[in-house]
């Protein structure tokens, strides 16, 4: 059970909405109260993804067994839309008792990462400025409308009431709670089944109690605070689960989750000072461009092994070699040939030696179709792809992989000869 950065952000607007609306506020009598809560979530998602110049989001979660902490997760996210900078600080206590924390800074041209088990600052620099939005609005996703209908249907089937308190300063508070006897039997049955799988499954870890019977949701409660503009500044959810282990001992598992939104339009994201620090730098390549950067780096030799299977073993009988003699972002020329060990020359195919000339396909980075001529004068066509990410070449002569005399295997991937 692991909570990541993405989990925390989505939980605040989508999963949080579902759980809070169907459980933490599951005693809703006033439809207007439910609609007000739902509208606040939508408005907060819209403002955070599109309008706020900056803000800080905190997420904290703790799971306890009868008061003893089993695991916890704390996450602080800071966003500055004007500068395109963001900062993420995470601290975790896992179910096995191990701890982990890390910090990530990012802006339009740089990202910096530091973890608690390594004093090195890992810096990635981008040659092309990136466009960075704080978060995406989950309510603009294609499936959002369908999810909302499902939530509305579940909430509409409950006999609920929600308490909405409007304060003198224009802020509002929404509160609700649900006890065991108020939870619909079907909802509790489904949740209990899922909890048994989680607490009694193959992924169960030593610190997590192995619940085998009488598993049910004992209590759920929650609260939310809205500012004068209707933006949700905090949402708190508490769930208490009960169940017995194999020895019949009763465990009460509590899960607390709190999400807050603060320092709206006043959050400052500071770039880490790397003076005197141990730093490892990396220049990120822009693989989104339609053309390969510095195509001449592929000029040279590339090769792979020619293999056969004999007496239950793989045997190397030779090598395939590609020599790129000229390359720019328009054309590439080169030569392909095969070299066999003594005694295996009969495996050579008609296309064992050829020259080729290719033109790159427009808007298909590194991909080129070529025409070739063999040493005997035969002509044909093929395809070559330059993999800039792995530094390799994929080379295919049409029907070459069909000419596997005597079990000769064909490998289309070629690695550079660097010795």
């Amino acid at each position: 059970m692991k909570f990541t950065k993405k989990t925390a952000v989505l939980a605040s607007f989508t999963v949080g909405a579902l759980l809070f609306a169907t459980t933490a506020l599951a005693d809703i009598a006033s439809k207007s109260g439910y609609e007000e809560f739902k509208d606040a979530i939508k408005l907060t998602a819209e403002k955070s993804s599109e309008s706020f110049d900056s803000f800080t989001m905190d997420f904290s979660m703790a799971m306890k067994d009868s008061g003893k902490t089993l695991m916890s997760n704390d996450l602080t996210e800071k966003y500055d839309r004007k500068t395109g900078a963001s900062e993420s600080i995470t601290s975790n206590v896992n179910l096995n008792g191990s701890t982990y924390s890390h910090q990530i800074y990012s802006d339009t041209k740089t990202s910096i990462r530091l973890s608690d088990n390594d004093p090195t600052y890992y810096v990635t620099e981008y040659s092309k400025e990136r466009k960075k939005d704080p978060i995406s609005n989950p309510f603009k996703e294609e499936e959002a409308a369908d999810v909302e209908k499902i939530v509305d249907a579940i909430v509409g089937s409950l006999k609920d009431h929600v308490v909405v308190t409007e304060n003198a300063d224009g802020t509002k508070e929404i509160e609700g709670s649900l006890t065991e006897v108020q939870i619909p039997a079907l909802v509790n049955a489904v949740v209990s089944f899922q909890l048994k799988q989680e607490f009694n499954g193959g992924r169960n870890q030593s610190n997590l109690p192995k619940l085998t019977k009488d598993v049910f949701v004992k209590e759920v409660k929650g609260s939310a605070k809205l500012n004068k503009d209707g933006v949700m500044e905090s949402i708190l959810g508490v769930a208490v689960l009960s169940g017995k282990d194999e020895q019949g001992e009763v465990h009460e598992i509590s899960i607390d989750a709190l999400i807050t939104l603060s320092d709206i339009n006043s959050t400052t994201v500071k770039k880490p000072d790397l003076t005197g620090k141990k730093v490892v730098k990396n220049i990120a390549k822009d693989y989104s461009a339609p053309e390969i950067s510095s195509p001449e780096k592929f000029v040279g030799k590339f090769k792979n092994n020619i293999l056969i299977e004999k007496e239950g073993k793989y045997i190397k009988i030779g090598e395939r070699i590609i020599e790129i003699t000229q390359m720019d972002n328009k054309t590439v020329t080169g030569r392909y040939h095969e070299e066999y060990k003594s005694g295996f020359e009969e495996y050579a195919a008609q296309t064992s030696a050829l020259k080729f000339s290719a033109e790159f396909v427009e808007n298909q980075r590194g991909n080129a179709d070529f025409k070739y001529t063999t040493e005997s004068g035969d002509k044909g066509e093929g395809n070559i792809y330059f993999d800039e990410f792995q530094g390799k070449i994929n080379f295919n002569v049409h029907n070459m992989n069909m000419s596997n005399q005597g079990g000769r295997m064909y490998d289309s991937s070629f690695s550079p000869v660097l010795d």
Side-chain angles (χ1 to χ4, degrees):
M1 187 178 294
K2 184 178 181 181
F3 290 80
T4 63
K5 168 184 172 182
K6 184 177 181 180
T7 304
V9 174
L10 292 178
S12 63
F13 298 130
T14 52
V15 178
L18 178 61
L19 294 178
F20 195 83
T22 60
T23 56
L25 296 180
D27 227 357
I28 301 176
S30 170
K31 183 67 173 178
S32 62
Y34 166 63
E35 291 294 340
E36 190 166 353
F37 169 76
K38 192 168 66 172
D39 289 344
I41 293 179
K42 289 183 177 180
L43 178 63
T44 305
E46 178 184 351
K47 293 286 188 180
S48 299
S49 61
E50 301 174 11
S51 302
F52 293 151
D53 289 337
S54 64
F55 60 90
T56 298
M57 181 183 294
D58 290 285
F59 171 79
S60 62
M61 186 282 302
M63 177 188 290
K64 299 179 180 180
D65 178 9
S66 302
K68 178 184 177 182
T69 300
L70 299 177
M71 65 172 293
S72 65
N73 176 266
D74 293 285
L75 169 69
T76 297
E77 298 270 10
K78 293 184 177 182
Y79 300 97
D80 187 334
R81 186 187 305 277
K82 288 186 175 181
T83 63
S86 64
E87 181 183 34
S88 173
I89 301 175
T90 302
S91 178
N92 297 328
V93 177
N94 299 318
L95 284 170
N96 59 11
S98 64
T99 61
Y100 175 74
S101 63
H102 70 267
Q103 176 182 356
I104 298 175
Y105 168 87
S106 181
D107 58 33
T108 58
K109 291 187 175 181
T110 309
S111 66
I112 302 173
R113 178 172 55 87
L114 175 69
S115 60
D116 62 346
N117 56 5
D118 186 351
T120 305
Y121 286 78
Y122 292 92
V123 179
T124 301
E125 297 178 346
Y126 301 88
S127 56
K128 183 179 179 181
E129 189 169 294
R130 303 176 297 162
K131 182 180 179 181
K132 290 176 59 63
D133 293 321
I135 60 174
S136 60
N137 186 346
F139 292 99
K140 289 191 174 182
E141 298 294 332
E142 185 176 349
E143 65 274 12
D146 293 332
V147 173
E148 184 176 347
K149 289 178 182 178
I150 295 173
V151 174
D152 288 343
I154 296 175
V155 172
S157 67
L158 301 173
K159 297 178 180 180
D160 316 315
H161 80 257
V162 62
V163 178
V164 180
T165 303
E166 187 167 356
N167 301 317
D169 60 358
T171 62
K172 294 181 180 180
E173 297 181 9
I174 303 175
E175 295 181 335
S177 63
L178 183 65
T179 62
E180 174 191 349
V181 295
Q182 295 170 307
I183 299 175
L186 178 60
V187 173
N188 214 334
V190 173
V191 173
S192 297
F193 174 77
Q194 292 177 332
L195 291 175
K196 282 184 180 180
Q197 306 307 307
E198 182 68 31
F199 285 83
N200 196 28
R203 296 187 296 112
N204 185 53
Q205 301 187 48
S206 57
N207 287 348
L208 195 64
K210 198 171 185 179
L211 304 182
T212 58
K213 56 185 177 180
D214 298 338
V215 180
F216 63 94
V217 180
K218 185 176 182 179
E219 180 186 18
V220 182
K221 57 184 178 181
S223 62
K225 294 183 179 180
L226 282 58
N227 67 14
K228 293 183 291 185
D229 298 321
V231 173
M232 190 171 292
E233 292 186 333
S234 70
I235 177 171
L236 170 66
V238 180
V240 180
L241 320 171
S242 181
K244 294 180 180 179
D245 59 23
E246 294 176 331
Q247 287 72 41
E249 182 180 352
V250 176
H251 294 264
E252 286 198 352
I253 309 297
S254 63
I255 302 175
D256 302 359
L258 172 65
I259 301 169
T260 63
L261 191 66
S262 61
D263 296 332
I264 296 174
N265 296 330
S266 62
T267 292
T268 300
V269 181
K270 295 183 179 180
K271 188 174 183 178
D273 183 3
L274 302 181
T275 304
K277 302 294 194 300
K278 182 181 179 181
V279 177
V280 174
K281 286 189 177 182
N282 173 54
I283 305 298
K285 298 184 182 298
D286 180 17
Y287 294 106
S288 63
E291 297 179 343
I292 290 177
S293 61
S294 304
E296 62 276 4
K297 64 192 171 192
F298 280 99
V299 173
K301 290 185 178 181
F302 294 74
K303 68 178 182 179
N304 66 33
N305 294 329
I306 303 175
L307 304 178
I308 63 170
E309 183 179 351
K310 187 175 182 180
E311 298 178 352
K313 296 181 180 181
Y314 291 116
I315 298 175
K316 177 181 176 180
I317 63 172
E319 293 181 339
R320 300 180 184 88
I321 300 171
I322 294 176
E323 184 176 1
I324 303 299
T325 56
Q326 176 275 329
M327 180 171 170
D328 54 31
N329 278 316
K330 299 294 183 181
T331 62
V332 57
T333 56
R335 176 175 177 264
Y336 168 87
H337 70 283
E338 298 171 0
E339 296 179 356
Y340 288 87
K341 291 182 177 181
S342 178
F344 295 99
E345 293 85 357
E346 71 273 13
Y347 284 91
Q350 292 181 349
T351 52
S352 291
L354 57 86
K355 294 181 179 180
F356 62 89
S357 177
E359 293 185 2
F360 285 101
V361 180
E362 186 176 0
N363 295 324
Q364 293 186 23
R365 183 187 181 98
N367 188 39
D369 295 321
F370 64 80
K371 295 181 179 181
Y372 69 84
T373 303
T374 66
E375 290 183 344
S376 60
D378 294 331
K379 298 182 181 297
E381 297 179 347
N383 175 268
I384 187 169
Y385 175 75
F386 294 87
D387 188 338
E388 193 176 9
F389 184 75
Q390 295 185 340
K392 295 183 178 182
I393 292 176
N394 282 283
F395 184 85
N396 285 286
V397 174
H398 294 341
N399 297 324
M400 177 180 282
N401 59 347
M402 301 296 291
S403 57
N404 295 340
Q405 300 98 324
R408 187 188 69 157
M409 301 173 183
Y410 182 70
D411 182 3
S412 63
S413 180
F414 291 74
S415 298
V417 179
L418 302 176
D419 296 334

